[in-house]
Amino acid sequence: MADRFDCDNCKESLYGRKYIQSDESPYCIPCYDSLFSNTCEECKELIGHDARELFYEDRHYHEHCFRCFRCDRSLADEPFTCQDEALLCNDCYCNEFSSKCVACDKIVMPGTRKLEYAGSTWHEGCFICNSCEQPIGSKSFIPDKDEHYCVSCYEDKFAPRCTRCKKALAKGGVTYRDEPWHKECFVCTSCKTQLAGEHFTSRDDSPYCLKCFGSLYAKKCEACSKPITGFGGGKYISFEDRQWHQPCFTCSECSVSLVGAGFFPDGERILCRECHSNL
């Protein structure tokens, strides 16, 4: 008597019938499909053993059921995106969800390089300087109202110019007499020492460090012959056409301080009361 060769599930003979072996056990086609086939996510029917099955994540589809939720286009051989559990072809996804480039008004396709700024989106090649019209890419830029400029164009077009060298001030600088200067350009007219952050004065609209101004223009103390600048809180005494530093204003005979005291001129000399009375 011949050995039995039955379906492992329904026990019906498989002699002369198609069957599928699974885990070393034979199954008739109906039993195999009912036991092992996946259910189509779209039509909810079994995906038979002889059907082309497509799957995405943990969902399975008949080939003819794997279609765009919006336009019904087959996605079997097309790129697609899943949005809120719905499968969408790229065209439908872009039309509904992708940003549009504010420069060319075309869709910025998923995966393409783009730039976003202040709530707007550009294709990388569309984000250009409004002056030189070259792509800005990942370089620094400066916005001005609804326009964007690369740094060099912005400086050429808008940045103030240094009063001395006439080049653009990119940042910082010094303002003197309502005019902009580079810090390194704002120097003493005489010795060329930088004046930014230093005390200085001016003559005929030209800036001078205190040392140079004192040497060139300040009156000299009658006693020590050094300049009298009056800067830094220094006090001085003036009499007729002569000036003294306050510490230098002393009696020419006894050297007593004459600040706040009476004194008597004696030719080039100045005397206290006592020395004057002894003459």
Side-chain angles (χ1 to χ4, degrees):
M1 184 176 178
D3 293 335
R4 293 186 62 82
F5 184 54
D6 300 333
C7 170
D8 195 61
N9 183 55
C10 68
K11 307 305 181 183
E12 291 187 8
S13 175
L14 296 177
Y15 283 117
R17 299 173 61 189
K18 291 183 178 180
Y19 69 92
I20 298 175
Q21 193 88 6
S22 178
D23 296 331
E24 300 184 358
S25 298
Y27 295 88
C28 65
I29 298 303
C31 286
Y32 179 86
D33 285 344
S34 65
L35 291 172
F36 301 108
S37 292
N38 294 304
T39 300
C40 176
E41 184 76 17
E42 181 66 22
C43 69
K44 308 305 180 185
E45 295 182 3
L46 291 177
I47 302 172
H49 69 283
D50 55 351
R52 184 184 178 193
E53 180 178 347
L54 302 174
F55 66 91
Y56 171 70
E57 294 183 343
D58 60 346
R59 291 177 285 173
H60 299 260
Y61 300 84
H62 293 105
E63 180 180 15
H64 60 271
C65 292
F66 195 61
R67 312 184 75 82
C68 174
F69 180 75
R70 289 284 186 269
C71 69
D72 208 36
R73 176 195 301 179
S74 172
L75 300 177
D77 299 303
E78 296 283 340
F80 65 91
T81 305
C82 184
Q83 182 72 23
D84 297 330
E85 302 298 315
L87 300 177
L88 300 172
C89 65
N90 267 7
D91 289 343
C92 289
Y93 177 84
C94 292
N95 288 332
E96 190 163 346
F97 299 105
S98 290
S99 303
K100 280 192 175 182
C101 173
V102 297
C104 69
D105 202 37
K106 295 181 180 178
I107 291 171
V108 180
M109 297 295 290
T112 58
R113 295 177 68 87
K114 64 180 179 179
L115 288 120
E116 295 179 323
Y117 173 73
S120 297
T121 304
W122 289 261
H123 293 109
E124 185 179 45
C126 292
F127 190 64
I128 62 174
C129 170
N130 281 81
S131 180
C132 66
E133 298 185 350
Q134 294 299 307
I136 294 174
S138 59
K139 296 183 293 185
S140 298
F141 68 93
I142 300 173
D144 183 67
K145 298 179 182 177
D146 293 330
E147 298 181 336
H148 308 90
Y149 296 88
C150 61
V151 174
S152 58
C153 285
Y154 184 85
E155 291 176 354
D156 289 340
K157 192 174 181 71
F158 299 108
R161 300 276 171 175
C162 174
T163 303
R164 182 181 183 191
C165 71
K166 310 305 180 187
K167 294 181 180 179
L169 275 81
K171 57 182 178 180
V174 175
T175 299
Y176 171 64
R177 299 185 67 84
D178 294 327
E179 295 177 333
W181 304 65
H182 289 115
K183 288 183 179 180
E184 59 271 21
C185 291
F186 188 62
V187 297
C188 173
T189 305
S190 179
C191 69
K192 309 305 178 186
T193 298
Q194 287 191 28
L195 298 177
E198 303 292 334
H199 292 292
F200 69 93
T201 188
S202 63
R203 184 181 177 89
D204 299 328
D205 295 339
S206 298
Y208 290 87
C209 68
L210 301 188
K211 183 177 180 181
C212 287
F213 183 84
S215 299
L216 293 171
Y217 302 111
K219 294 181 179 181
K220 303 297 189 292
C221 175
E222 192 73 16
C224 69
S225 299
K226 293 181 179 179
I228 298 174
T229 63
F231 302 124
K235 296 181 179 180
Y236 65 97
I237 308 297
S238 180
F239 175 68
E240 294 180 344
D241 60 347
R242 295 183 289 172
Q243 288 79 30
W244 292 261
H245 295 111
Q246 193 176 73
C248 296
F249 191 58
T250 59
C251 176
S252 300
E253 279 293 326
C254 69
S255 299
V256 67
S257 174
L258 298 178
V259 177
F263 65 91
F264 297 88
D266 182 42
E268 296 295 318
R269 304 189 306 164
I270 51 171
L271 302 173
C272 65
R273 290 181 183 273
E274 185 174 347
C275 290
H276 182 264
S277 64
N278 291 333
L279 293 179

